[in-house]
């Protein structure tokens, strides 16, 4: 399905709320949309042993946020390298910005290119049900594909469906680190939502499963951006 107008979407949501899951579904339904997941970018840097990866690793392991300046530099340079800083580009961001400082910096960069975000969606999931999900999560780091032993298991246990390569656990998917990530999220999300609500582009979709959330998210996008015939 092709959208009539370019969408530049940010997905907000607690750790494990389903940002990656909703991103995959959106890319499936709307093939013109491309995506950057800040967590995936960081995990790729860590796997490659780059200086940014080395810096980020300590923060991620402890459930803390990577410093704003590092994140802004990393993601805006990706946007630029991919040629996405123009007003006809269509993309989505999963997990960045996640502080008001990051949001302000990104807005400065995007404004110059007339490529500002035009929709921010908060995925609102009951936080009491999320821990079980991430304890059962397995990931394929090179592609960012996400599995869950109960909800969407791989076809062959512990192997990626597309490449057959082994899946791994994320270092930060333990109960202790998860609680720290959640606390940090709850601390940052209020001001971040206010920032985007003031600009007039914030929406919230609620539901305790990704199957409940996805049709709401898809409808919101179709209503706002339309489709070509
Ligand atoms: P990430 O990688 O952005 P989080 O913590 O924001 O990490 P996470 O954990 O990746 O978010 P998600 O993408 O929202 O969660 O959720 P998901 O992977 O789609 O779903 C979670 C699991 O539940 C999966 O196994 C999925 O299959 C399953 N699932 C989905 N829906 C359902 C359902 O309906 N039912 C069930 N039963 N299961 C379901 O960031 C990681 C770290 O990087 C740093 C920080 O240190 C951060 O902690 N970082 C940043 N630091 C500073 N600024 C930034 N902008 C940063 N971005 C990343
Ligand atoms: Mg994710």
């Amino acid at each position: 399905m092709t959208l009539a107008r370019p969408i530049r979407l940010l997905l907000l949501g607690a750790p494990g709320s389903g940002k990656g899951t909703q991103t995959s579904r959106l890319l499936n339904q709307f093939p013109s949309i491309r995506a950057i997941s800040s967590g995936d970018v960081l995990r790729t840097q860590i796997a490659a042993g780059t200086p940014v990866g080395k810096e980020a690793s300590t923060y991620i392991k402890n459930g803390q946020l990577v410093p704003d300046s590092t994140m802004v530099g990393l993601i805006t340079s990706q946007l630029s390298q991919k040629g996405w800083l123009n007003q006809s580009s269509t993309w989505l961001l999963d997990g960045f910005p996640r502080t008001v400082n990051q949001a302000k910096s990104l807005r400065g960069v995007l404004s110059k290119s007339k490529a500002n975000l035009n929709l921010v969606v908060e995925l609102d999931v009951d936080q009491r049900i999320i821990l079980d999900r991430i304890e059962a999560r397995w990931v394929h780091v090179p592609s960012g594909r996400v599995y869950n032993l109960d909800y969407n298991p791989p076809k062959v246990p512990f192997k990626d469906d597309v490449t057959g390569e082994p899946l791994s656990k994320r270092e930060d998917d333990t109960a202790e680190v998860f609680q720290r990530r959640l606390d940090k999220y709850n601390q940052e999300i209020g001001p971040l939502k206010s920032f985007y609500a003031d600009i007039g582009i914030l929406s919230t979709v609620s539901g305790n499963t990704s199957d409940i959330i996805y049709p709401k998210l898809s409808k919101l996008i179709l209503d706002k951006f339309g489709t070509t015939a």
Side-chain angles (χ1 to χ4, degrees):
M1 210 175 263
T2 307
L3 293 171
R5 293 196 302 116
I7 181 173
R8 286 182 292 276
L9 166 68
L10 165 63
L11 288 182
L12 300 176
S17 59
K19 299 181 293 299
T21 302
Q22 301 297 337
T23 296
S24 303
R25 293 186 188 189
L26 287 172
L27 300 196
N28 226 6
Q29 185 178 359
F30 304 105
S32 62
I33 303 182
R34 291 144 315 158
I36 294 178
S37 152
S38 54
D40 287 349
V41 171
L42 290 167
R43 283 182 286 277
T44 305
Q45 297 278 333
I46 292 171
T50 66
V52 169
K54 286 187 181 127
E55 182 199 359
S57 170
T58 321
Y59 293 99
I60 294 181
K61 254 192 277 195
N62 291 311
Q64 292 163 342
L65 293 184
V66 176
D68 289 339
S69 55
T70 306
M71 290 312 302
V72 170
L74 189 62
I75 304 297
T76 58
S77 70
Q78 292 248 334
L79 287 166
S80 166
Q81 277 163 23
K82 289 174 187 284
W84 294 4
L85 290 176
N86 62 73
Q87 57 189 341
S88 57
S89 61
T90 271
W91 39 258
L92 81 78
L93 299 179
D94 155 1
F96 173 88
R98 68 176 82 187
T99 66
V100 171
N101 275 340
Q102 292 178 11
K104 285 182 180 160
S105 300
L106 179 69
R107 193 162 172 77
V109 172
L110 296 180
S111 295
K112 282 192 201 131
S113 319
K114 298 194 168 48
N116 260 318
L117 295 173
N118 49 20
L119 182 62
V120 176
V121 179
E122 177 204 15
L123 308 178
D124 170 33
V125 179
D126 185 338
Q127 295 188 353
R128 287 168 300 186
I129 65 168
I130 298 180
L131 177 60
D132 286 347
R133 289 182 180 189
I134 66 140
E135 287 190 325
R137 170 163 58 187
W138 287 76
V139 295
H140 180 245
V141 171
S143 66
R145 278 184 286 276
V146 174
Y147 300 88
N148 181 286
L149 298 182
D150 312 311
Y151 178 69
N152 60 332
K155 289 180 194 139
V156 177
F158 309 109
K159 296 272 165 61
D160 177 47
D161 285 353
V162 177
T163 63
E165 290 168 352
L167 302 178
S168 50
K169 284 297 285 173
R170 278 175 44 172
E171 284 192 301
D172 56 348
D173 275 353
T174 62
E176 190 196 347
V177 178
F178 173 73
Q179 189 56 51
R180 268 187 251 144
R181 287 160 59 200
L182 201 54
D183 292 346
K184 192 67 195 159
Y185 175 81
N186 290 331
Q187 192 182 321
E188 300 290 343
I189 189 63
L192 192 56
K193 277 171 61 179
S194 302
F195 179 81
Y196 287 119
D198 289 348
I199 297 170
I201 55 172
L202 178 72
S203 295
T204 297
V205 286
S206 303
N208 284 348
T209 70
S210 291
D211 295 343
I212 293 173
I213 287 192
Y214 189 70
K216 297 184 188 177
L217 176 60
S218 172
K219 182 174 185 313
L220 181 70
I221 290 172
L222 287 170
D223 288 350
K224 194 164 158 114
F225 295 90
T227 52
T228 53

